[in-house]
Amino acid sequence: MPFSKKFTPVPLADTNLFKPIQIGDMQLQHRAVYPPLTRLRAHHPGNVPNKDWAAEYYNQRSQHPGTLIITEGTITSKAAGGYDNAPGIWSDEQVAEWTKIFKKIHDNKSFVYVQLWNLGRQSSPEILARDGLKYVSASDDLYMNEETKQKALKANNPQHGLTKDEIKQHIADFVHAAKNSIAAGADGVEIHSANGYLLNQFLDPISNHRTDEYGGSIENRSRFTLEVVDAVIAAVGHTKVGIRFSPWGTFGAQSGSAEPLILAQFAHVIGELEKRAKEGKRLAYIHLVEPRVTDPSMTEGTGADTAASNDFVYSIWKGPIIRAGNLAYHPDIVKEMIKDDRTLIAYGRLWIATPDMVHRLKDGLPLNKYDRDTFYTMTSQGYIDYPTYQQALKIGWDKE
């Protein structure tokens, strides 16, 4: 793969992107963040991080000291999963492999947060049925689409709205996964409440038709996410917890800006986090998916909601904010965003392809073109074989 020709690189060394910042217990040396990127290389059965490639993958991308790496979505329990090749962090075997990965990152003098993931109705009902597990979400029989409905019915595993006792168990699973993450050496955890997965399914009225205390009102729809936050804070400490939201996202059949009250929903849940912060329990950060990317399954640069903005979060939340969403191609926009001293920038797909991303951002060097076809394949290709800038020069990429 040659260098990307989609934009003209700009050196960012003299901008706030390369100004140190305190995030939770960590002193980062710059503000370029490696975000959670599903890669589907874990071993099945067992959802164990890949023993041959994963440690090297994270090693390559954490070489620049003081970098924050957020892991790919990591399943909190067997009941929270349903993807055979996504890693988990509930078992001893999983924890043992993550321990090796975290050591590689720390040996590079960088930092790591584990993204804690519960799929909900974005899981595979047939895989869950095979393993004797329920296909769950906020509400019964409220499917993402007709295709998913037919898969669930064929597997005799119809969508099941979690009972209150089951919600408590899923909260306990988040806590167990958070404790395992810290025990394995992680610096913290990121609660995944974005992109149409379980916690987001409770936040959004399009997927939550409940009539109990977990549905109906904006306050009630926020309850599950906030209970997870409170439980994880109690388990590992507020300085070791971040959270991700996608207010304008439509991935997983979520509302996005088609719901007039969606901003009010996210303003409420983020306001509750700021309320906790004022009580001495400020999270390490809030991580936002920009409306530039409403659906990450779409080609980069498409599907933007140009009428929407995440700027409202700054007037509510007074802690650090990570912004993610097709920003590698737009250093001009990054320059404006990072003028705010609380802002960090997450670079996703192009960091997959560019292991020495931080170095290239700093010096304004071209970035490697990514191969989307290998994002989710069970091979080392498209995973640990992308070259650094110097390696790319040696194989003549600058001549292509």
Side-chain angles (χ1 to χ4, degrees):
M1 302 296 290
F3 293 134
S4 173
K5 302 290 197 297
K6 289 190 174 182
F7 77 112
T8 301
V10 174
L12 297 170
D14 295 330
T15 71
N16 269 357
L17 194 69
F18 285 88
K19 179 180 175 183
I21 187 171
Q22 184 76 27
I23 299 294
D25 300 327
M26 307 171 294
Q27 178 70 17
L28 306 184
Q29 295 307 305
H30 59 87
R31 300 170 185 219
V33 176
Y34 188 79
L37 294 159
T38 301
R39 303 311 312 277
L40 298 183
R41 261 75 171 186
H43 299 294
H44 171 73
N47 296 95
V48 178
N50 193 285
K51 297 178 181 180
D52 300 313
W53 312 321
E56 178 58 20
Y57 173 78
Y58 283 103
N59 175 53
Q60 290 174 355
R61 283 151 189 80
S62 60
Q63 288 287 327
H64 197 287
T67 298
L68 173 57
I69 303 287
I70 306 173
T71 72
E72 61 208 278
T74 303
I75 300 168
T76 56
S77 68
K78 204 166 183 182
Y83 291 173
D84 283 343
N85 298 114
I89 196 160
W90 70 83
S91 75
D92 291 343
E93 187 179 7
Q94 293 162 353
V95 169
E97 203 57 39
W98 280 119
T99 301
K100 298 173 190 175
I101 293 167
F102 300 158
K103 184 179 186 303
K104 288 278 191 183
I105 295 169
H106 287 148
D107 285 348
N108 293 330
K109 296 183 170 57
S110 287
F111 304 94
V112 59
Y113 265 44
V114 179
Q115 191 192 57
L116 303 181
W117 195 21
N118 189 315
L119 301 175
R121 69 177 188 173
Q122 287 212 66
S123 186
S124 301
E126 62 274 31
I127 289 176
L128 292 168
R130 178 200 67 196
D131 295 341
L133 298 166
K134 295 177 181 177
Y135 178 53
V136 306
S137 185
S139 298
D140 293 327
D141 302 318
L142 192 56
Y143 297 93
M144 290 188 294
N145 50 49
E146 186 62 27
E147 180 186 2
T148 308
K149 179 179 179 179
Q150 292 308 316
K151 284 182 180 179
L153 296 179
K154 185 177 179 181
N156 194 28
N157 198 10
Q159 187 173 305
H160 164 70
L162 290 172
T163 67
K164 284 183 269 190
D165 284 343
E166 288 167 342
I167 288 171
K168 289 177 183 176
Q169 182 57 54
H170 281 275
I171 294 170
D173 291 342
F174 272 99
V175 168
H176 178 65
K179 288 180 176 178
N180 278 355
S181 299
I182 302 304
D187 298 285
V189 296
E190 176 179 285
I191 296 166
H192 196 353
S193 189
N195 293 346
Y197 295 104
L198 184 69
L199 295 182
N200 197 172
Q201 291 160 31
F202 272 75
L203 288 172
D204 198 316
I206 202 170
S207 46
N208 183 348
H209 289 185
R210 300 174 73 100
T211 56
D212 64 2
E213 61 264 45
Y214 290 94
S217 68
I218 284 172
E219 293 82 0
N220 285 353
R221 288 199 302 271
S222 296
R223 190 180 307 277
F224 190 7
T225 292
L226 294 171
E227 286 182 349
V228 170
V229 167
D230 290 341
V232 174
I233 285 175
V236 302
H238 62 96
T239 59
K240 296 184 184 298
V241 182
I243 192 166
R244 196 180 211 206
F245 296 115
S246 53
W248 310 105
T250 59
F251 184 63
Q254 298 294 270
S255 292
S257 58
E259 168 53 55
L261 293 178
I262 205 68
L263 188 150
Q265 176 66 61
F266 283 93
H268 175 264
V269 72
I270 291 166
E272 284 291 323
L273 297 179
E274 180 61 24
K275 178 181 174 184
R276 285 156 173 75
K278 290 187 183 309
E279 294 168 351
K281 295 179 180 179
R282 182 173 298 284
L283 298 186
Y285 63 80
I286 287 178
H287 187 177
L288 300 173
V289 180
E290 291 295 303
R292 304 175 61 80
V293 180
T294 55
D295 184 339
S297 70
M298 298 175 72
T299 303
E300 193 148 24
T302 64
D305 187 341
T306 56
S309 171
N310 281 333
D311 289 350
F312 74 95
V313 178
Y314 284 82
S315 64
I316 304 168
W317 170 255
K318 303 307 177 185
I321 295 174
I322 302 172
R323 304 183 79 158
N326 188 30
L327 293 169
Y329 288 141
H330 301 281
D332 52 329
I333 294 173
V334 168
K335 280 185 171 183
E336 287 302 310
M337 284 183 169
I338 59 176
K339 286 180 180 177
D340 180 276
D341 201 41
R342 295 187 281 137
T343 300
L344 302 91
I345 304 295
Y347 294 91
R349 285 171 271 202
L350 282 153
W351 204 331
I352 286 175
T354 310
D356 55 340
M357 183 76 166
V358 180
H359 167 59
R360 299 203 212 182
L361 291 170
K362 190 173 186 179
D363 293 348
L365 301 173
L367 307 180
N368 297 349
K369 186 178 179 182
Y370 59 75
D371 178 9
R372 195 182 184 101
D373 290 341
T374 59
F375 278 0
Y376 311 116
T377 55
M378 191 63 176
T379 66
S380 61
Q381 181 185 358
Y383 193 57
I384 57 172
D385 60 343
Y386 284 109
T388 63
Y389 184 66
Q390 291 303 320
Q391 291 168 341
L393 293 182
K394 286 179 181 178
I395 57 179
W397 280 18
D398 57 325
K399 307 293 194 298
E400 295 184 28

